[in-house]
Amino acid sequence: QKEVEQNSGPLSVPEGAIASLNCTYSDRVSQSFFWYRQYSGKSPELIMSIYSNGDKEDGRFTAQLNKASQYVSLLIRDSQPSDSATYLCAVHTGNQFYFGTGTSLTVIP
Amino acid sequence: NAGVTQTPKFRILKIGQSMTLQCTQDMNHNYMYWYRQDPGMGLKLIYYSVGAGITDKGEVPNGYNVSRSTTEDFPLRLELAAPSQTSVYFCASRGGQVIGGQPQHFGDGTRLSIL
Protein backbone atom coordinates (compact mmCIF):
# COMPACT_ATOMS: atom_id res chain seq x y z
CA GLN A 1 0.00 0.00 0.00
CA LYS A 2 1.56 3.23 -1.16
CA GLU A 3 1.02 5.98 1.38
CA VAL A 4 1.13 9.75 1.31
CA GLU A 5 0.97 11.41 4.71
CA GLN A 6 0.12 15.00 5.49
CA ASN A 7 -0.61 16.81 8.72
CA SER A 8 -4.36 17.32 8.58
CA GLY A 9 -4.18 20.59 10.49
CA PRO A 10 -5.97 22.84 10.70
CA LEU A 11 -3.05 25.19 10.27
CA SER A 12 -3.68 28.85 11.07
CA VAL A 13 -1.28 31.65 10.20
CA PRO A 14 -1.67 35.44 10.32
CA GLU A 15 -1.83 37.38 7.10
CA GLY A 16 1.65 38.10 5.76
CA ALA A 17 3.28 35.15 7.53
CA ILE A 18 4.87 32.05 5.99
CA ALA A 19 2.76 28.90 5.88
CA SER A 20 4.66 25.60 5.82
CA LEU A 21 2.96 22.43 4.61
CA ASN A 22 4.59 19.02 4.78
CA CYS A 23 4.15 15.68 3.06
CA THR A 24 5.91 12.31 3.30
CA TYR A 25 5.55 9.37 0.95
CA SER A 26 6.34 5.69 1.24
CA ASP A 27 7.38 4.59 -2.27
CA ARG A 28 11.03 5.32 -3.06
CA VAL A 29 10.50 4.96 -6.81
CA SER A 30 7.96 7.80 -6.95
CA GLN A 31 8.80 10.07 -9.85
CA SER A 32 6.87 13.32 -9.68
CA PHE A 33 5.30 15.38 -6.94
CA PHE A 34 2.49 17.90 -7.00
CA TRP A 35 0.74 20.32 -4.70
CA TYR A 36 -2.94 21.08 -5.32
CA ARG A 37 -5.12 23.69 -3.68
CA GLN A 38 -8.76 22.84 -3.10
CA TYR A 39 -11.32 25.39 -2.01
CA SER A 40 -14.39 24.06 -0.23
CA GLY A 41 -16.81 22.54 -2.73
CA LYS A 42 -14.41 22.96 -5.64
CA SER A 43 -12.07 20.72 -7.61
CA PRO A 44 -8.30 20.49 -6.97
CA GLU A 45 -6.23 23.16 -8.69
CA LEU A 46 -2.52 22.67 -9.44
CA ILE A 47 -0.21 24.97 -7.46
CA MET A 48 3.24 23.46 -7.96
CA SER A 49 4.97 20.48 -9.51
CA ILE A 50 8.48 19.29 -8.63
CA TYR A 51 10.50 16.46 -10.13
CA SER A 52 14.06 16.72 -8.75
CA ASN A 53 15.69 17.32 -5.39
CA GLY A 54 15.93 20.87 -4.17
CA ASP A 55 13.74 23.93 -4.23
CA LYS A 56 11.41 25.25 -6.92
CA GLU A 57 9.97 28.73 -6.62
CA ASP A 58 6.93 30.20 -8.35
CA GLY A 59 5.83 33.59 -7.07
CA ARG A 60 4.91 33.28 -3.40
CA PHE A 61 5.12 29.49 -3.51
CA THR A 62 8.21 27.32 -2.99
CA ALA A 63 8.17 23.55 -3.26
CA GLN A 64 10.97 21.53 -1.69
CA LEU A 65 11.79 17.91 -2.47
CA ASN A 66 14.13 15.55 -0.64
CA LYS A 67 13.94 12.09 -2.22
CA ALA A 68 16.39 10.56 0.27
CA SER A 69 14.07 11.52 3.13
CA GLN A 70 10.93 10.93 1.00
CA TYR A 71 9.71 14.37 1.93
CA VAL A 72 7.99 17.15 0.02
CA SER A 73 7.03 20.54 1.39
CA LEU A 74 5.26 23.67 0.25
CA LEU A 75 6.04 27.13 1.60
CA ILE A 76 3.62 29.99 1.06
CA ARG A 77 5.19 33.38 1.68
CA ASP A 78 3.22 36.53 2.48
CA SER A 79 0.11 34.44 3.12
CA GLN A 80 -3.17 36.01 2.07
CA PRO A 81 -6.74 35.26 3.21
CA SER A 82 -7.37 33.97 -0.32
CA ASP A 83 -4.82 31.20 0.40
CA SER A 84 -7.25 29.70 2.93
CA ALA A 85 -8.00 26.27 1.49
CA THR A 86 -7.07 22.62 1.76
CA TYR A 87 -3.73 21.71 0.22
CA LEU A 88 -3.33 18.24 -1.24
CA CYS A 89 0.01 16.53 -1.81
CA ALA A 90 0.04 14.13 -4.77
CA VAL A 91 2.75 11.61 -5.63
CA HIS A 92 3.06 10.08 -9.08
CA THR A 93 4.24 6.48 -9.22
CA GLY A 94 3.96 4.40 -12.38
CA ASN A 95 0.56 5.07 -13.94
CA GLN A 96 -1.09 6.24 -10.73
CA PHE A 97 -1.26 9.26 -8.48
CA TYR A 98 -1.55 8.91 -4.71
CA PHE A 99 -3.03 11.74 -2.66
CA GLY A 100 -2.66 12.70 0.97
CA THR A 101 -5.75 13.60 2.99
CA GLY A 102 -4.85 17.29 2.76
CA THR A 103 -3.88 20.08 5.17
CA SER A 104 -6.46 22.72 5.93
CA LEU A 105 -4.93 26.21 5.99
CA THR A 106 -6.61 29.30 7.40
CA VAL A 107 -4.99 32.70 6.93
CA ILE A 108 -6.24 35.14 9.55
CA PRO A 109 -6.59 38.77 8.42
CA ASN B 1 -11.00 25.10 -24.64
CA ALA B 2 -13.30 23.49 -22.06
CA GLY B 3 -10.71 21.16 -20.43
CA VAL B 4 -12.36 18.34 -18.49
CA THR B 5 -16.16 18.38 -18.42
CA GLN B 6 -18.19 16.26 -16.02
CA THR B 7 -21.94 15.72 -16.05
CA PRO B 8 -24.15 15.79 -14.10
CA LYS B 9 -22.97 18.17 -11.37
CA PHE B 10 -25.42 16.78 -8.80
CA ARG B 11 -27.46 13.62 -8.59
CA ILE B 12 -29.55 11.80 -6.01
CA LEU B 13 -30.04 8.07 -6.51
CA LYS B 14 -32.06 5.49 -4.69
CA ILE B 15 -30.37 2.36 -3.37
CA GLY B 16 -30.13 -0.23 -6.14
CA GLN B 17 -30.42 2.22 -9.03
CA SER B 18 -27.75 2.54 -11.70
CA MET B 19 -26.26 5.54 -13.42
CA THR B 20 -23.37 6.71 -15.57
CA LEU B 21 -21.18 9.65 -14.72
CA GLN B 22 -19.90 11.30 -17.88
CA CYS B 23 -16.42 12.71 -18.40
CA THR B 24 -15.09 14.34 -21.56
CA GLN B 25 -11.80 16.09 -22.23
CA ASP B 26 -10.80 18.15 -25.26
CA MET B 27 -7.03 18.27 -24.66
CA ASN B 28 -6.25 15.04 -26.54
CA HIS B 29 -4.85 13.53 -23.32
CA ASN B 30 -4.11 9.83 -23.26
CA TYR B 31 -4.42 9.39 -19.51
CA MET B 32 -7.74 9.69 -17.72
CA TYR B 33 -8.70 8.99 -14.11
CA TRP B 34 -11.74 8.65 -11.88
CA TYR B 35 -11.46 9.54 -8.19
CA ARG B 36 -13.86 9.71 -5.31
CA GLN B 37 -13.44 12.10 -2.41
CA ASP B 38 -15.23 11.53 0.86
CA PRO B 39 -15.61 14.39 3.38
CA GLY B 40 -12.29 15.39 4.96
CA MET B 41 -10.41 12.84 2.91
CA GLY B 42 -8.03 12.85 0.00
CA LEU B 43 -8.79 11.46 -3.42
CA LYS B 44 -9.04 7.72 -3.90
CA LEU B 45 -8.45 6.31 -7.38
CA ILE B 46 -11.32 4.20 -8.73
CA TYR B 47 -10.20 3.43 -12.29
CA TYR B 48 -7.79 4.85 -14.79
CA SER B 49 -7.04 4.59 -18.49
CA VAL B 50 -3.78 5.03 -20.38
CA GLY B 51 -5.48 5.29 -23.77
CA ALA B 52 -8.52 4.32 -25.79
CA GLY B 53 -9.45 0.70 -25.19
CA ILE B 54 -7.23 0.32 -22.10
CA THR B 55 -8.50 0.59 -18.53
CA ASP B 56 -7.24 -0.60 -15.16
CA LYS B 57 -8.37 -0.72 -11.55
CA GLY B 58 -7.25 1.74 -8.92
CA GLU B 59 -7.50 1.50 -5.13
CA VAL B 60 -11.30 1.32 -4.80
CA PRO B 61 -12.87 -0.22 -7.95
CA ASN B 62 -15.58 -2.36 -6.36
CA GLY B 63 -19.08 -1.35 -7.43
CA TYR B 64 -17.90 0.60 -10.47
CA ASN B 65 -17.15 -0.03 -14.12
CA VAL B 66 -15.54 2.06 -16.85
CA SER B 67 -14.99 2.03 -20.57
CA ARG B 68 -12.77 4.05 -22.89
CA SER B 69 -13.92 3.75 -26.47
CA THR B 70 -12.52 7.14 -27.53
CA THR B 71 -9.66 9.37 -26.41
CA GLU B 72 -12.13 12.05 -25.30
CA ASP B 73 -14.61 10.10 -23.18
CA PHE B 74 -14.23 8.08 -19.99
CA PRO B 75 -17.63 7.29 -18.42
CA LEU B 76 -17.96 5.76 -14.96
CA ARG B 77 -20.82 3.34 -14.39
CA LEU B 78 -22.38 2.63 -11.00
CA GLU B 79 -24.39 -0.57 -10.86
CA LEU B 80 -26.69 -1.24 -7.90
CA ALA B 81 -25.96 2.00 -6.06
CA ALA B 82 -25.21 1.68 -2.33
CA PRO B 83 -25.09 4.37 0.42
CA SER B 84 -21.31 3.82 0.68
CA GLN B 85 -21.00 5.29 -2.82
CA THR B 86 -22.24 8.67 -1.64
CA SER B 87 -19.30 10.90 -2.45
CA VAL B 88 -17.91 13.57 -4.76
CA TYR B 89 -16.52 12.09 -7.95
CA PHE B 90 -13.74 13.78 -9.89
CA CYS B 91 -12.54 12.97 -13.37
CA ALA B 92 -9.03 14.02 -14.38
CA SER B 93 -6.82 13.80 -17.44
CA ARG B 94 -3.19 14.39 -18.28
CA GLY B 95 -0.88 14.21 -21.22
CA GLY B 96 2.77 13.26 -21.41
CA GLN B 97 4.78 10.18 -20.69
CA VAL B 98 4.65 7.89 -17.66
CA ILE B 99 8.10 9.01 -16.46
CA GLY B 100 8.28 12.66 -15.36
CA GLY B 101 4.55 12.83 -15.73
CA GLN B 102 2.53 15.91 -16.42
CA PRO B 103 0.06 17.05 -13.74
CA GLN B 104 -3.57 16.12 -13.86
CA HIS B 105 -6.35 18.50 -14.89
CA PHE B 106 -9.55 18.02 -12.96
CA GLY B 107 -13.18 18.42 -13.86
CA ASP B 108 -15.58 20.28 -11.55
CA GLY B 109 -16.86 17.08 -9.96
CA THR B 110 -20.16 15.26 -9.55
CA ARG B 111 -21.82 15.26 -6.14
CA LEU B 112 -23.68 11.98 -5.76
CA SER B 113 -26.00 11.03 -2.92
CA ILE B 114 -27.42 7.54 -2.52
CA LEU B 115 -30.53 7.41 -0.35
Side-chain angles (χ1 to χ4, degrees), chain B residues 88-111:
Chain B
V88 180
Y89 291 83
F90 289 105
C91 179
S93 73
R94 73 174 181 92
Q97 301 299 314
V98 172
I99 305 298
Q102 296 297 308
Q104 298 172 311
H105 301 261
F106 285 86
D108 289 339
T110 294
R111 295 182 177 277

Side-chain angles (χ1 to χ4, degrees), chain A residues 36 38 41 43 51 92 94 97, chain B residues 37 42 94 98-99 101 104 107 111:
Chain A
Y36 287 86
Q38 188 175 27
S43 61
Y51 304 100
H92 178 213
F97 289 73
Chain B
Q37 187 176 34
R94 73 174 181 92
V98 172
I99 305 298
Q104 298 172 311
R111 295 182 177 277

Side-chain angles (χ1 to χ4, degrees), chain A residues 50-88:
Chain A
I50 187 165
Y51 304 100
S52 55
N53 282 329
D55 294 358
K56 179 181 178 182
E57 186 175 317
D58 184 359
R60 297 186 295 111
F61 299 95
T62 299
Q64 299 173 317
L65 174 60
N66 184 324
K67 289 186 178 181
S69 300
Q70 295 174 236
Y71 175 87
V72 192
S73 67
L74 179 70
L75 299 177
I76 306 174
R77 292 181 300 281
D78 188 23
S79 296
Q80 301 296 309
S82 59
D83 295 327
S84 298
T86 296
Y87 289 80
L88 300 172

Side-chain angles (χ1 to χ4, degrees), chain A residues 1-5 23-27 30 91 98-100:
Chain A
Q1 178 81 11
K2 296 176 175 58
E3 294 183 348
V4 179
E5 302 281 347
C23 173
T24 59
Y25 59 95
S26 63
D27 193 339
S30 297
V91 175
Y98 299 89
F99 286 81

Side-chain angles (χ1 to χ4, degrees), chain B:
Chain B
N1 205 356
V4 179
T5 302
Q6 290 184 239
T7 57
K9 294 190 183 304
F10 304 94
R11 185 73 184 268
I12 298 174
L13 281 182
K14 294 182 178 178
I15 295 171
Q17 287 185 320
S18 301
M19 77 163 293
T20 299
L21 281 66
Q22 302 291 345
C23 177
T24 299
Q25 53 92 7
D26 62 0
M27 297 173 281
N28 200 33
H29 286 168
N30 286 327
Y31 299 91
M32 296 188 74
Y33 306 81
W34 273 106
Y35 295 91
R36 61 176 287 172
Q37 187 176 34
D38 298 326
M41 302 296 289
L43 285 81
K44 296 292 186 183
L45 182 64
I46 305 171
Y47 272 95
Y48 67 98
S49 171
V50 300
I54 306 170
T55 63
D56 208 346
K57 296 178 180 179
E59 291 180 79
V60 290
N62 291 343
Y64 307 94
N65 279 299
V66 293
S67 59
R68 185 93 181 271
S69 57
T70 66
T71 299
E72 295 78 18
D73 300 311
F74 190 41
L76 177 71
R77 178 81 177 164
L78 277 72
E79 304 283 2
L80 298 175
S84 61
Q85 293 177 305
T86 293
S87 190
V88 180
Y89 291 83
F90 289 105
C91 179
S93 73
R94 73 174 181 92
Q97 301 299 314
V98 172
I99 305 298
Q102 296 297 308
Q104 298 172 311
H105 301 261
F106 285 86
D108 289 339
T110 294
R111 295 182 177 277
L112 181 62
S113 294
I114 315 295
L115 303 177

